[in-house]
Amino acid sequence: MNELEWSVRDGVGTIVLSRPESRNAFTFAMIREWARLLRSAKNDDDVRVLVLTGAGEKAFCSGVDLSSISNANPNLTPLQRKAQLHDDIHRVALALEDLDKPIIASINGVAVGAGLDMALMCDMRIMSTSARVSEGYVKVGLTPGDGGAYYLPRIVGTSKALELLLTGDFIDAEEALRIGLVNRIAAPEALAEETTRLARQIADHAPITVRMIKRATYQSANTDLRTALDLISSHFAVVAATEDAAEALQAMKDKRTPQYKGR
């Protein structure tokens, strides 16, 4: 079994972290392949939406495989440790920032530290009611190494983010939903179905429109109103001129399912 599994079905590309014996902790080799898959999916017209999940029901991801890293590099200098994060582990975050197709984290089990960060950097999250999540870094004397201090405040607000980051406490699915950390929760046996339902609902829409909406949403969050409105007017003009937009309008008039070509 591959440690990182990839499949595409009905417009949905799925990445599975497949090291259940290690609670789906990731290695550097997995990170490199993970980032490559994301870059490839960006230009693959067969992929309209992505899903990230873990193998089994016990763990989504327990973060980086610290034992294998420390065994391979027992005497890293501070500069080498920085490069290890920047040049390897951060590849996924940077590839996701460049991806304008939606990605959903399906949190099937425990997510800790960088494992939770990997879910936070996705656009949406669905969590099993049996799962628990924690930033956890503070309990081992470390700062959040994979973007937790960036993503978490933007999702749940600064005060709640600091509480989670500075205590390292675990929270369950109900609390994660209450604070807005996840979009939906589902029973363990229904998680895959609920994730697929959401992914395919999005994948059924015009792909260019979906990509432009995601792009505009993130651009608007990082700019002022006038710039955001100027950007969206450009996006709107481009999307309105596509074959997909014309097909969506005609299909609505004809009361039929649209057939998109992605252009």
Side-chain angles (χ1 to χ4, degrees), residues 19-227:
R19 299 184 73 216
E21 74 287 350
S22 301
R23 293 185 177 269
N24 297 321
F26 57 79
T27 63
F28 286 152
M30 289 172 67
I31 284 289
R32 288 188 284 271
E33 177 63 7
W34 194 341
R36 187 195 69 78
L37 286 172
L38 293 172
R39 291 192 298 268
S40 176
K42 178 183 178 181
N43 299 312
D44 186 346
D45 291 339
D46 290 333
V47 179
R48 298 184 179 184
V49 179
L50 290 91
V51 169
L52 172 67
T53 193
E57 294 185 358
K58 292 184 178 180
F60 169 76
C61 180
S62 58
V64 63
D65 188 339
L66 292 174
S67 61
S68 65
I69 291 174
S70 60
N71 289 340
N73 302 282
N75 300 306
L76 292 179
T77 67
L79 187 59
Q80 288 171 326
R81 290 189 185 280
K82 175 180 173 62
Q84 204 171 58
L85 287 172
H86 184 271
D87 297 343
D88 285 297
I89 294 176
H90 293 170
R91 291 183 185 205
V92 172
L94 296 174
L96 282 171
E97 185 183 42
D98 198 39
L99 179 71
D100 55 7
K101 298 178 180 181
I103 180 166
I104 303 167
S106 186
I107 305 173
N108 56 300
V110 67
V112 183
L116 175 55
D117 292 346
M118 290 298 190
L120 296 178
M121 62 183 69
C122 294
D123 302 306
M124 290 161 276
R125 286 156 292 281
I126 300 178
M127 185 172 172
S128 167
T129 52
S130 66
R132 298 192 307 151
V133 300
S134 167
E135 277 294 336
Y137 290 98
V138 71
K139 291 186 175 181
V140 291
L142 296 173
T143 60
D146 199 19
Y150 177 88
Y151 296 106
L152 196 56
R154 287 165 168 77
I155 296 170
V156 303
T158 301
S159 296
K160 193 63 183 180
L162 282 170
E163 177 187 339
L164 296 174
L165 290 165
L166 295 177
T167 64
D169 285 347
F170 275 91
I171 60 172
D172 60 18
E174 291 287 351
E175 176 65 3
L177 180 66
R178 187 189 72 81
I179 65 176
L181 191 148
V182 299
N183 299 75
R184 305 179 184 184
I185 60 176
E189 65 274 13
L191 180 67
E193 181 180 353
E194 182 68 15
T195 303
T196 298
R197 182 183 299 114
L198 176 60
R200 288 184 178 167
Q201 181 181 356
I202 296 170
D204 284 344
H205 292 303
I208 294 176
T209 300
V210 169
R211 295 171 69 174
M212 286 293 193
I213 289 174
K214 173 177 173 175
R215 188 180 302 180
T217 299
Y218 283 109
Q219 287 173 333
S220 297
N222 294 301
T223 191
D224 60 273
L225 175 62
R226 289 184 178 275
T227 302

